[in-house]
Amino acid sequence: MGANIPYFCSMNNGFSYDNNLIAHDVLKSPFRACPEVISGGGGATILAIESSCDETSASVCVDGKILSNYTANQTVHELYGGVVPELASRAHMQNIVPVVDTALSSANCQLSSVSAIAFTQAPGLIGSLLVGAQFAKSLSLALEKPLIAVHHMQAHVLANLIDDPKPEFPFLCLTVSGGHTQIVLAKSPLELKVLGETIDDAAGEAFDKSAKLLGLPYPGGPLVDKYAREGNPKAFKFAEPQIPGLDFSFSGLKTSVLYFLQKETIKDASFIQKNLNGLCASIQYTIINILLKKLKQAVLQTGITRVCIAGGVSANSGLRKALKETGEKYEWEIFIPAFEYCTDNAAMIAITAWYKYLAGDFAELTESPSARAQW
């Protein structure tokens, strides 16, 4: 489903309007003592919405089990070589009703049976976040159901709790995406601590920016992964920043790739085309090496050998393979989410909301989205 999906409102799942709703106090959320929460959440159904960037996604979770996870992607950004925030917001407005409708239908779920509404509160593109947040708030108010605000990056970590086998706590999670690169210590579903993060570019940015330098179309990360499978990962050597502690840096790698390509293409204008597989393999190898060096350091510092990955870059075949091999070498327990739970999706929002629901951690209707957020 692309950005040009037609806007429609299906009445099959209970989308309707009630003029009496204006009598509610829209500034307060009165849902602080749900019977289902008091009894342990039995039979509770979460409807979750994710709209932090350029995917509109909705998911239904019942008793911690994901019944549906439906996502609409936006192809319009390919024309511009990156996500255009205003276009993303407009596409979310166009997509959100049919996406939610499809998620409910796929789960054979009626709006009347939903126990709580969850949404991505931060971080992300503010216009995109607003679409999902206001839609969720409207449903919460209309259905008189609790509202749950979810941190997008925390949800990426907890995507590892969707399928079996699930990691036991505590565990470490390497979270790698287009906008973030972090090592997170998870002591419980709601007790997460960032041990290290990027001080400049994220790993996903390093992939995409390197791909752009190679003349590959957006999004370039998956294409680098594709061509890397046919190349020699040690064909070319690129800079690996030496950053103290558990923090990351990828801006130096991008500069190293840029200067190297400029130098070689002066000698041979077709250098990139002749060496594309080797270039992609070498760039990918360098990024993965940077990531795993810090992860090894985190394991040594914490003594925790249960290790997960999460985020869009965790779908990279090279990273998945390298982590498995590292785990075998050092006798770590490795947990890797299914591909559909790596990129932005509402299932990870739903599973995070499920744990917040059990804890009675609900949001007021005054909760505002934020482009940036503290843990």
Side-chain angles (χ1 to χ4, degrees):
M1 182 182 294
N4 60 347
I5 183 172
Y7 182 91
F8 67 90
C9 185
S10 168
M11 306 305 289
N12 295 333
N13 284 306
F15 284 105
S16 59
Y17 302 93
D18 184 350
N19 290 331
N20 294 324
L21 291 176
I22 59 175
H24 285 273
D25 178 3
V26 299
L27 296 180
K28 296 291 183 180
S29 181
F31 318 114
R32 290 291 175 184
C34 297
E36 292 159 337
V37 177
I38 295 173
S39 64
T45 300
I46 308 293
L47 171 62
I49 296 166
E50 153 64 20
S51 66
S52 63
C53 191
D54 62 335
E55 281 101 358
T56 314
S57 187
S59 176
V60 174
C61 173
V62 178
D63 284 342
K65 301 295 184 183
I66 301 299
L67 298 189
S68 67
N69 181 43
Y70 191 75
T71 302
N73 298 309
Q74 301 175 8
T75 58
V76 64
H77 307 289
E78 294 175 5
L79 298 172
Y80 304 97
V83 177
V84 181
E86 177 62 23
L87 294 180
S89 301
R90 294 180 185 182
H92 283 306
M93 293 177 66
Q94 191 177 34
N95 291 349
I96 194 165
V97 170
V99 165
V100 169
D101 187 56
T102 301
L104 288 166
S105 299
S106 299
N108 194 25
C109 177
Q110 300 289 319
L111 270 177
S112 58
S113 66
V114 170
S115 307
I117 313 295
F119 70 100
T120 304
Q121 184 266 335
L125 301 176
I126 192 63
S128 295
L129 289 168
L130 278 167
V131 175
Q134 295 307 108
F135 190 87
K137 289 180 183 181
S138 298
L139 283 180
S140 172
L141 181 63
L143 298 173
E144 298 185 326
K145 300 295 183 180
L147 185 68
I148 302 174
V150 174
H151 190 295
H152 181 83
M153 296 310 298
Q154 292 176 354
H156 269 307
V157 174
L158 297 190
N160 286 280
L161 302 182
I162 294 175
D163 290 333
D164 291 324
K166 299 177 177 65
E168 295 181 4
F169 293 95
F171 64 81
L172 296 174
C173 186
L174 173 65
T175 309
V176 278
S177 67
H180 299 83
T181 300
Q182 300 172 329
I183 296 177
V184 178
L185 169 60
K187 296 182 179 179
S188 74
L190 301 181
E191 190 177 1
L192 307 174
K193 180 182 179 181
V194 177
L195 302 181
E197 59 189 335
T198 183
I199 61 174
D200 42 57
D201 288 351
E205 286 178 287
F207 272 109
D208 286 339
K209 289 178 179 179
S210 296
K212 189 172 184 179
L213 293 173
L214 295 173
L216 299 177
Y218 176 87
L223 292 174
V224 171
D225 187 16
K226 175 184 175 181
Y227 294 124
R229 294 170 198 166
E230 306 299 326
N232 177 5
K234 297 184 178 181
F236 307 102
K237 185 171 179 59
F238 297 108
E240 293 186 24
Q242 303 302 312
I243 305 299
L246 297 178
D247 287 335
F248 300 88
S249 172
F250 291 97
S251 63
L253 169 62
K254 177 194 67 179
T255 304
S256 175
V257 173
L258 172 62
Y259 288 163
F260 176 77
L261 293 178
Q262 287 178 340
K263 181 179 71 174
E264 294 300 326
T265 51
I266 290 174
K267 301 175 187 176
D268 181 357
S270 60
F271 175 80
I272 293 175
Q273 289 74 21
K274 291 177 180 177
N275 297 277
L276 183 59
N277 291 343
L279 287 165
C280 288
S282 299
I283 291 169
Q284 179 166 288
Y285 174 83
T286 305
I287 294 172
I288 292 172
N289 204 37
I290 293 170
L291 293 170
L292 292 186
K293 277 185 177 179
K294 294 292 185 175
L295 190 55
K296 292 174 192 175
Q297 189 175 337
V299 170
L300 286 173
Q301 286 186 13
T302 63
I304 297 170
T305 56
R306 284 183 291 273
V307 178
C308 307
I309 56 173
V313 179
S314 66
N316 179 277
S317 64
L319 177 59
R320 295 166 85 94
K321 179 182 178 183
L323 182 61
K324 288 177 182 177
E325 291 174 348
T326 303
E328 291 174 1
K329 180 179 180 180
Y330 294 101
E331 298 183 341
W332 299 350
E333 287 184 78
I334 300 299
F335 300 87
I336 301 176
F339 283 106
E340 66 178 306
Y341 304 135
C342 291
T343 55
D344 291 350
N345 67 91
M348 67 183 194
I349 305 301
I351 196 67
T352 305
W354 165 250
Y355 287 104
K356 298 188 78 167
Y357 183 91
L358 294 180
D361 185 2
F362 302 124
E364 303 288 352
L365 290 173
T366 53
E367 187 81 41
S368 298
S370 173
R372 299 182 181 275
Q374 298 297 320
W375 284 54

